[in-house]
Amino acid sequence: MSQGKVLVLHGPNLNLLGSRQPEIYGYETLDDINNRLREKAVLADWDITCLQSNHEGGLIDAIHTARLDGTQAIIINPAAYTHTSVALLDALNAFEGKVIEVHLSNVHKRETFRHHSYVSLRADGVIAGLGVQGYRAALEAVISAFQA
Ligand code: DQA
C-alpha cells in the first residue's frame, strides 16, 4: 500500500502552458510539470493523479471523486476560476482532506481582479509566484504533512 494519495488539478487554459504568455507562466509544459510531480510522488511512495480541465464541472467532478476514493490532499491551480467560482469553493468545502492552492504567477502583483480568490477561503496553504517550483513545494508540503 502507498503512503498516501494526492490529486493535482489544473484549471482552464493551463493545457497551453509553455506557449501561453511564457513571460508570465514560463516555458515548461503541463506534461513537464506533471512528470516532475509524478517522479517526486513515486520516490515518496505516494499515488498521484494529475488532471486538467477547461470546464468548471470537470474540476468539480474530480473533487467529488476525490472525496470518496481515499484522496488525502488536493493540489489545485484553479486558474481563472480562482477569481470567479463559488461552485469550486463549495466542492472543496465538501472535501475533508488537505487543500493547497498554487499559482504560477504572483496574482497579487497583477490586475486587481486576480487579487481575490474564492479557493483561498478553503485552502490550507497558498503558493503564488514561484512558477513551477510552487507545485513541487506544494507536493513536498503534502508528503511531509502526512509523514508518520
Ligand atoms: C494563474 C493565475 C490566474 O489569475 C490566471 O487566470 C491563470 C493562471 C497562475 O497560475 O498564475 O490562468 O492561476
Side-chain angles (χ1 to χ4, degrees):
M1 223 179 76
S2 68
Q3 297 296 312
K5 197 171 161 70
V6 59
L7 171 66
V8 181
L9 277 181
H10 306 279
N13 301 306
L14 295 175
N15 53 311
L16 302 180
L17 282 180
S19 61
R20 169 199 183 201
Q21 296 181 281
E23 67 288 358
I24 297 176
Y25 299 117
Y27 287 92
E28 286 200 49
T29 66
L30 195 61
D31 278 348
D32 294 335
I33 292 172
N34 288 338
N35 286 338
R36 298 258 203 114
L37 291 176
R38 286 191 191 103
E39 280 167 20
K40 206 179 222 332
V42 165
L43 283 176
D45 196 20
W46 270 67
D47 279 351
I48 187 167
T49 303
C50 301
L51 199 142
Q52 187 273 334
S53 180
N54 290 321
H55 307 280
E56 202 170 14
L59 298 167
I60 291 167
D61 287 346
I63 294 166
H64 290 182
T65 301
R67 286 181 74 221
L68 304 173
D69 72 357
T71 296
Q72 279 112 320
I74 297 177
I75 295 170
I76 182 167
N77 182 346
Y81 289 139
T82 308
H83 319 297
T84 63
S85 183
V86 176
L88 206 49
L89 169 63
D90 286 350
L92 289 167
N93 276 332
F95 172 75
E96 288 180 357
K98 209 173 183 59
V99 175
I100 315 256
E101 176 182 350
V102 173
H103 298 284
L104 292 154
S105 64
N106 180 358
V107 282
H108 301 288
K109 233 168 106 174
R110 301 181 63 194
E111 303 98 318
T112 44
F113 68 83
R114 294 186 204 275
H115 296 180
H116 178 260
S117 165
Y118 285 102
V119 171
S120 291
L121 293 169
R122 165 63 179 89
D124 298 295
V126 181
I127 300 171
L130 297 185
V132 297
Q133 188 62 42
Y135 287 99
R136 289 170 215 151
L139 184 57
E140 274 165 27
V142 164
I143 290 167
S144 62
F146 288 95
Q147 223 148 32

